[in-house]
């Protein structure tokens, strides 16, 4: 068995560790790119959401290098992500990949049996110690790589020499693919994080803060969101991302089956607008939007794939949040037809608005003597 998996932001680093620690032969997927999107678009239903199309293209490199098995996570609630494993298998069959095995790691939702069976099939061992040890190391790597990303979000708008953050971050992605196992991977992550944190900052630079909310794949995967975090950082804006893979995994793998949650504050913030889970991350999108507004962020950007129903519901609610908290809100919808020039224009116009608002508020304070 040779395993590949979808690419989503830095998730590949932790998945690589999980499978390496289990002794599974793997093909690490290439970064998402236009070629992968073109392949997926050609073979997928036109109206299906963008992540599935990119996933299909992702798998091609793995198949060329001998992969015969795909591992992916499942979902819960009314979201098409929960059908990806079935639909992708049918698409791949139509493409001539009849013998590809799909191992689905569904969130347990109170019943760990199916989850354990899937992990056992993937690991090809029933040794619980080996499985738990590998899972623990993978989760630790997730938290470490999320901390690295947070360092890039903080330093990019403040760096004195433009481009240094991306130089270290790009080098990290090259280095992490070359190493094997938890210790070496952790060392590479920490070195990159320290290099970025040690970058000299431009003193007294005015920094705007924007919260990024929306569907998890488009929020996390830079190819799909057209590198929005880098674009904003280069404009002098500190980005805060509402969704992190480490938190998602902890929430759905460990806490949710026990009726516990890390999202209590977020759900409470969303209650005046949406009281229940309707699928995807709609409630979290609204809740995080409210919390960003309450915390005084300069603006909020929602990003999601075209036809994503949970996010469409959230989009209909967020203008009310914008009005209630006087916090500017921008919605960006992406699909295979999204043009980067128009995308950039909307971001630039939005950030110009935020900068102007901040200047006006500053001038008002000066005039009032406060």
């Amino acid at each position: 068995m040779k395993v590949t998996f979808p690419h989503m932001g830095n998730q590949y680093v932790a998945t690589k560790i999980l499978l390496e620690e289990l002794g599974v032969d793997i093909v690490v997927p290439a970064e998402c790119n236009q070629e992968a999107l073109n392949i997926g678009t050609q073979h997928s239903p036109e109206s299906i959401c963008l992540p599935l199309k990119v996933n299909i293209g992702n798998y091609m490199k793995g198949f060329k290098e001998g992969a015969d098995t795909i591992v992916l996570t499942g979902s819960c609630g009314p979201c098409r992500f929960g059908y990806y494993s079935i639909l992708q298998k049918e698409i791949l069959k139509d493409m001539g990949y009849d013998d590809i095995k799909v191992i689905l790691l569904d969130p347990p939702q109170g019943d760990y049996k199916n989850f354990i069976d899937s992990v056992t099939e993937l690991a090809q061992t029933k040794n619980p110690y080996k499985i738990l040890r590998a899972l623990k190391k993978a989760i630790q790597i997730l938290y470490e790589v999320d901390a690295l990303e947070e360092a890039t979000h903080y330093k990019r708008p403040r760096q004195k020499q433009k481009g240094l953050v991306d130089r270290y971050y790009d080098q990290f992605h090259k280095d992490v693919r070359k190493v094997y196992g938890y210790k070496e991977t952790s060392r590479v992550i920490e070195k990159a994080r320290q290099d970025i944190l040690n970058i000299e900052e431009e003193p007294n630079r005015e920094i705007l803060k924007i919260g990024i909310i929306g569907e998890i794949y488009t929020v996390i995967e830079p190819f799909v969101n057209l590198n929005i975090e880098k674009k904003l950082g280069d404009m002098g804006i500190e980005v805060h991302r509402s969704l992190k893979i480490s938190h998602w995994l902890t929430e759905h793998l460990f806490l949710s089956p026990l009726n516990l949650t890390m999202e209590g504050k977020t759900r409470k913030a969303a209650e005046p607008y949406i009281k229940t889970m309707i699928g995807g991350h709609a409630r979290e999108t609204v809740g995080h939007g409210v919390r960003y507004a309450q915390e005084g962020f300069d603006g909020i950007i929602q990003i999601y794939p075209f036809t994503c129903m949970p996010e469409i519901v959230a989009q209909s609610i967020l203008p009310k949040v914008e009005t209630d908290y006087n916090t500017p809100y921008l919605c960006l919808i992406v699909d295979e037809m999204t043009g980067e020039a128009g995308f950039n224009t909307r971001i630039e116009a939005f950030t110009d608005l935020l900068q102007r608002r901040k200047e006006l508020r500053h001038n008002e304070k000066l005039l009032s003597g406060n």
Side-chain angles (χ1 to χ4, degrees):
M1 182 172 70
K2 196 169 188 178
V3 176
T4 191
F5 47 90
H7 189 286
M8 182 174 74
N10 285 329
Q11 152 269 340
Y12 78 92
V13 182
T15 307
K16 175 176 175 287
I17 290 302
L18 173 66
L19 298 176
E20 285 176 350
E21 293 291 332
L22 288 172
V24 177
D25 192 11
I26 64 172
V27 178
V28 179
E31 292 183 2
C32 299
N33 53 46
Q34 190 61 46
E35 181 184 2
L37 176 57
N38 291 342
I39 293 171
T41 301
Q42 180 182 352
H43 295 281
S44 303
E46 181 182 2
S47 60
I48 198 66
C49 40
L50 186 62
L52 183 139
K53 297 174 183 177
V54 180
N55 286 175
I56 292 295
N58 275 161
Y59 300 144
M60 295 303 108
K61 175 181 180 292
F63 297 158
K64 289 177 182 177
E65 296 185 21
D68 54 22
T69 303
I70 298 168
V71 60
L72 69 158
T73 58
S75 181
C76 56
C79 173
R80 282 176 290 184
F81 181 41
Y83 298 100
Y84 272 23
S85 60
I86 300 168
L87 185 54
Q88 286 180 0
K89 195 163 187 176
E90 291 301 313
I91 292 171
L92 292 172
K93 189 182 294 184
D94 290 342
M95 294 173 68
Y97 297 99
D98 297 337
D99 54 352
I100 296 297
K101 180 189 292 186
V102 177
I103 298 177
L104 180 64
L105 302 179
D106 256 328
Q109 300 184 59
D111 180 10
Y112 278 92
K113 184 180 184 304
N114 289 335
F115 178 79
I116 292 171
D117 288 345
S118 296
V119 173
T120 301
E121 180 184 9
L122 175 64
Q124 296 184 315
T125 178
K126 293 186 177 181
N127 183 338
Y129 176 73
K130 182 178 181 180
I131 293 172
L132 289 173
R133 183 177 61 182
L135 190 59
K136 179 183 177 182
K137 289 180 178 179
I139 293 172
Q140 181 61 37
I141 287 294
L142 272 181
Y143 277 94
E144 290 177 17
V145 84
D146 279 346
L148 169 61
E149 283 193 300
E150 287 175 0
T152 67
H153 297 160
Y154 178 82
K155 278 289 184 175
R156 191 177 279 119
R158 294 175 171 85
Q159 60 188 334
K160 191 170 186 178
Q161 183 181 340
K162 191 173 181 179
L164 267 185
V165 168
D166 293 322
R167 185 188 305 173
Y168 288 128
Y169 196 51
D170 291 344
Q171 188 61 47
F172 154 74
H173 282 292
K174 293 176 183 177
D175 293 343
V176 81
R177 288 175 176 268
K178 298 175 184 176
V179 297
Y180 185 92
Y182 170 77
K183 287 185 178 179
E184 282 300 300
T185 300
S186 182
R187 180 188 60 79
V188 169
I189 295 171
E190 183 58 21
K191 180 182 183 303
R193 192 176 76 90
Q194 289 301 325
D195 286 342
I196 289 170
L197 290 176
N198 289 333
I199 292 174
E200 185 179 0
E201 297 182 16
E202 181 69 38
N204 304 318
R205 179 176 289 172
E206 192 73 32
I207 302 294
L208 295 172
K209 292 173 71 175
I210 289 180
I212 303 290
I213 58 178
E215 187 271 333
I216 188 168
Y217 188 91
T218 43
V219 167
I220 289 174
E221 173 51 50
F223 170 74
V224 170
N225 63 39
L226 281 72
N227 283 293
I228 190 170
E229 292 172 356
K230 180 183 182 304
K231 285 181 168 70
L232 291 172
D234 289 341
M235 294 177 189
I237 296 166
E238 182 179 345
V239 172
H240 285 250
R241 186 200 296 161
S242 62
L243 295 171
K244 297 181 177 68
I245 304 175
S246 55
H247 291 177
W248 183 91
L249 188 65
T250 302
E251 178 79 13
H252 292 281
L253 184 58
F254 300 112
L255 298 180
S256 182
L258 302 174
N259 290 320
L260 300 173
T261 181
M262 300 167 63
E263 297 288 350
K265 291 182 180 179
T266 302
R267 293 177 184 178
K268 186 174 181 180
E271 268 188 12
Y273 306 94
I274 180 170
K275 297 183 183 296
T276 188
M277 195 275 281
I278 63 166
H281 292 92
R283 180 166 55 171
E284 288 79 6
T285 292
V286 174
H288 282 294
V290 172
R291 292 184 66 186
Y292 285 139
Q294 290 173 340
E295 292 168 15
F297 276 61
D298 296 290
I300 302 165
I301 295 179
Q302 179 194 17
I303 183 165
Y304 69 87
F306 183 60
T307 75
C308 177
M309 288 304 297
E311 291 299 321
I312 290 172
V313 174
Q315 182 192 357
S316 71
I317 295 170
L318 286 165
K320 174 64 172 167
V321 175
E322 177 183 29
T323 301
D324 289 348
Y325 290 93
N326 192 27
T327 302
Y329 155 72
L330 173 67
C331 179
L332 298 170
I333 304 170
V334 293
D335 67 2
E336 65 272 16
M337 301 299 290
T338 300
E340 189 161 5
F343 189 87
N344 291 346
T345 299
R346 295 191 67 195
I347 294 172
E348 289 164 3
F350 185 66
T351 55
D352 285 347
L353 165 70
L354 300 185
Q355 187 63 53
R356 181 60 177 156
R357 276 170 55 95
K358 194 157 192 171
E359 290 172 359
L360 287 173
R361 288 180 177 178
H362 177 69
N363 292 339
E364 287 171 0
K365 285 183 179 180
L366 290 177
L367 290 172
S368 65
N370 294 329

